[in-house]
Amino acid sequence: MPGLMIDVHQHLWPAEFIDALRARANPPLLRGWTLHVAGEPPFEVDPADHEPVKRAAREDGIAVISLSSPLAIEWLPPEEAGPLLDAWHRGALELPDPFRVWAAANVLEPDAEVVRDALGSGCVGLQIPADAMRKPADVECIAPLLAVCEQHDRPVMVHPGAATCPPGVPGWWPPVVDYVAQMQAAWWSWHVAGRALLPELRICFAAGAGLAPVHHERLVARGGAFDRIDPDVFVDTSSYGPRGVDALVRVLGIDPVVLGSDRPYAEPTDPGLGEAASRAIRCSNPRRLLEGGLP
């Protein structure tokens, strides 16, 4: 992978997974190409966004795809979640290059064997919904899933989970308000409890962790401690541009920042930090997240 661009945060639904969503009677479900998710208005999906050949033609390197955690599949009872997760893993792992796959797992009743099997089948690591890490105690509940990744030297991606769109608010409200709040809570929960539980785990927070690192000054002002940058904690750039990425780099340095576009819901942006920084964010840093090694 040296020198190859790697986008660690994309979404593409394989045909088998789409069929499983259409077979459901309750949300999350698809009716034609209309997505119904509890707590949010119906969403019209563009079929081209989930056509592998068309998506592959847009890629300039590796694209790591994941289950869309806002669907809340990971929170369904195991008997409901199981068929959807199986369909996701089977279908996604059959996709051609340039796609790689994040595993998914039930967080209502965590089963470490599901993660172990998914990693053994070829998944690069595990995606966890951020709403499963709202509090430090929550990290302890899902620690058996994360521990499998640590044991196998695979990373974890923390992604926004399910949100609620209150009546009368615009459609951007969940991703701008709920998702950001979830990511910030997950970031602080990890720093309070996660590293002590899983000292060797590489973990990445989507959407710049909701810019939680920028609040480290406030942490210190309110009695917390921020004594070092953890080299195995990463943030991706999804939905942020030059100002957001620059703010993250000022706190964390360049090494933990990785390209994550959230395609097809957003597109990669140029952080405007120069060629060397762009290469680090798009090539060497994502490779270190996926494979390990020193910066």
Side-chain angles (χ1 to χ4, degrees):
M1 281 189 208
L4 185 66
M5 190 173 83
I6 305 170
D7 185 340
V8 304
H9 179 181
Q10 293 198 16
H11 303 284
L12 191 163
W13 297 343
E16 191 166 349
F17 181 68
I18 291 171
D19 290 343
L21 284 175
R22 286 179 173 154
R24 287 182 53 79
N26 298 309
L29 60 85
L30 273 175
R31 288 292 175 263
W33 286 101
T34 303
L35 176 66
H36 298 266
V37 178
E40 295 194 41
F43 177 76
E44 294 301 320
V45 177
D46 184 347
D49 287 341
H50 301 284
E51 188 169 317
V53 174
K54 290 183 178 179
R55 284 287 299 277
R58 300 172 62 186
E59 301 302 331
D60 296 318
I62 297 296
V64 192
I65 61 169
S66 67
L67 185 70
S68 298
S69 287
L71 298 178
I73 290 170
E74 297 98 327
W75 285 104
L76 292 173
E79 63 273 14
E80 289 191 56
L84 291 166
L85 294 174
D86 289 346
W88 162 253
H89 290 128
R90 284 196 305 268
L93 287 167
E94 290 177 357
L95 292 172
D97 286 339
F99 300 110
R100 304 292 186 271
V101 181
W102 291 105
N106 190 282
V107 295
L108 188 65
E109 296 184 20
D111 184 346
E113 288 304 313
V114 171
V115 179
R116 190 169 286 110
D117 290 346
L119 298 182
S121 297
C123 291
V124 302
L126 172 67
Q127 179 178 277
I128 287 289
D131 55 345
M133 296 176 60
R134 288 186 186 274
K135 304 182 299 297
D138 295 338
V139 180
E140 298 178 15
C141 292
I142 61 170
L145 304 178
L146 309 184
V148 175
C149 293
E150 184 183 49
Q151 292 160 8
H152 289 264
D153 194 28
R154 304 291 183 86
V156 167
M157 169 66 82
V158 183
H159 187 283
T164 300
C165 191
V169 303
W172 51 257
W173 190 271
V176 174
V177 178
D178 293 75
Y179 294 177
V180 169
Q182 287 183 26
M183 295 308 302
Q184 291 195 5
W187 173 267
W188 297 118
S189 292
W190 170 259
H191 283 78
V192 170
R195 182 52 79 208
L197 290 170
L198 301 147
E200 304 297 327
L201 182 68
R202 297 190 304 281
I203 189 167
C204 181
F205 292 82
L211 296 188
V214 179
H215 295 276
H216 281 191
E217 290 175 323
R218 183 172 177 83
L219 166 72
V220 174
R222 293 304 178 112
F226 176 53
D227 53 358
R228 73 181 188 95
I229 302 297
D230 188 328
D232 288 323
V233 176
F234 298 77
V235 293
D236 89 18
T237 59
S238 54
S239 296
Y240 287 103
R243 292 184 182 87
V245 175
D246 179 72
L248 292 168
V249 170
R250 286 174 181 270
V251 177
L252 301 175
I254 194 69
D255 294 330
V257 182
V258 300
L259 171 64
S261 69
D262 199 20
R263 184 175 276 172
Y265 308 112
E267 293 296 322
T269 57
D270 183 355
L273 300 176
E275 183 177 348
S278 180
R279 185 173 183 82
I281 291 170
R282 292 171 178 256
C283 303
S284 56
N285 295 352
R287 186 177 72 251
R288 190 162 48 84
L289 167 65
L290 297 179
E291 300 177 359
L294 297 174

